Amino acid sequence: MIIRRGGEIPSSEITPYQHYLDRRAFMLAAGAAALGAVLPPRLGAWPRRSDDKLTPYKDVIGYNNYYEFGTDKASPAKLAGGLKTDPWTIEVAGAVKRPGTYSYDDLVRPHPAEERVYRHRCVEGWSMVVPWMGFPLGDLIRRLEPSSQAKYVEFTTLNDPAQMPGQRSNVLPWPYVEGLRMDEALHPLTLMVMGVYGKPLPNQNGAPLRLIVPWKYGFKGGKAIVRIRFTDTQPRTTWNIAIPREYGFYANVNPQVAHPRWSQARERRIGEFFKQDTLMFNGYADQVASLYAGMNLRINY
Ligand code: MTE
């Protein structure tokens, strides 16, 4: 396989930004102000297949996985509205030069939001194409100055059963924890997300701050992050603790490795009738396959 360096995307895969902008200019106009400084999107720099139409906004914000607000897809939109996301603090801990408890304003606001349209593939077999607003996690990590001990980054979601009714049941071990290897966290595709479709992130999508790692199954993208911890050992992650045989730490989208209970070879794009083939690394192999050179992706699922 030829591995291209990030950014060198064939122009045939790039949807002209103007087309996209025209379709939803009204949304950007309304939302950009609310998000603060919005830089020109880097959309053109990231690959889209010609059939990658944006998933309608109503589906992006109405068909969600967020077990803190119930296990069915409609529950988060119904139940998450009251979650208090302001003020918000994020603890930075572990092997890092600048640990501490940061306000959202101090930690997140210095990073201007840019737009990235990513394929979003859930482990359950459905997918979307979502225009996220965010900034590269690597920019934040560099600001926090992890020490040489930092080999992994762990992300923890809010633990507040009073506000999150799903946490009153033990459907998952709480709080929701996810993690990345440091090189994955520093990869320019990995995004801290504060908005979607040019607007601030709705609570059901993980407001005020969530992670998006587009070449991995969606469960790696923890929502409502309150803690970022740098560590020398692989974090224990929620789905891996709950059902280790089914959900590995890596969770790279891989059509060749079936989930024990279903195939991952194809996916249903929300809003479309026919299934389509799932792509290796969710279509981002050119940019990320080199991170896993020499690794057995069947063992490291
Ligand atoms: N984060 C938390 N805190 N709780 C969750 O249940 N579900 C994950 C991920 N992040 C989840 C979470 C799963 S399985 C997916 S597919 C994505 O969120 C869904 O993100 P979306 O609802 O914005 O599409």
Side-chain angles (χ1 to χ4, degrees), residues 195-264:
V196 68
Y197 261 99
K199 304 176 194 236
L201 209 56
N203 289 351
Q204 59 268 33
N205 292 90
L209 186 66
R210 62 100 47 100
L211 181 70
I212 285 291
V213 193
W215 70 93
K216 294 179 180 283
Y217 293 116
F219 72 86
K220 295 300 286 182
K223 298 179 172 183
I225 292 169
V226 293
R227 187 167 190 250
I228 301 175
R229 186 173 70 94
F230 297 87
T231 165
D232 61 351
T233 46
Q234 185 175 300
R236 300 210 58 215
T237 54
T238 295
W239 279 104
N240 185 245
I241 294 168
I243 320 178
R245 216 171 69 81
E246 300 190 1
Y247 306 107
F249 176 80
Y250 282 95
N252 291 319
V253 173
N254 188 343
Q256 292 150 25
V257 176
H259 183 281
R261 290 184 280 139
W262 57 82
S263 164
Q264 293 289 22

Side-chain angles (χ1 to χ4, degrees), residues 34-48:
L35 262 180
V38 178
L39 283 189
R42 278 203 219 154
L43 175 67
W46 309 102
R48 293 177 69 187

Side-chain angles (χ1 to χ4, degrees), residues 269-288:
R269 199 48 71 77
I270 297 300
E272 291 175 24
F273 185 74
F274 293 107
K275 286 192 174 183
Q276 56 183 272
D277 289 344
T278 288
L279 302 176
M280 190 66 198
F281 296 111
N282 206 21
Y284 300 97
D286 287 352
Q287 287 131 297
V288 302

Side-chain angles (χ1 to χ4, degrees), residues 63-68 120 122 126 132 157 176 204-205 210 218-219 221-223:
Y63 188 91
N64 300 102
N65 272 335
Y66 200 170
Y67 278 25
E68 286 86 340
H120 181 51
C122 181
W126 52 268
W132 301 113
T157 292
Y176 194 97
Q204 59 268 33
N205 292 90
R210 62 100 47 100
F219 72 86
K223 298 179 172 183

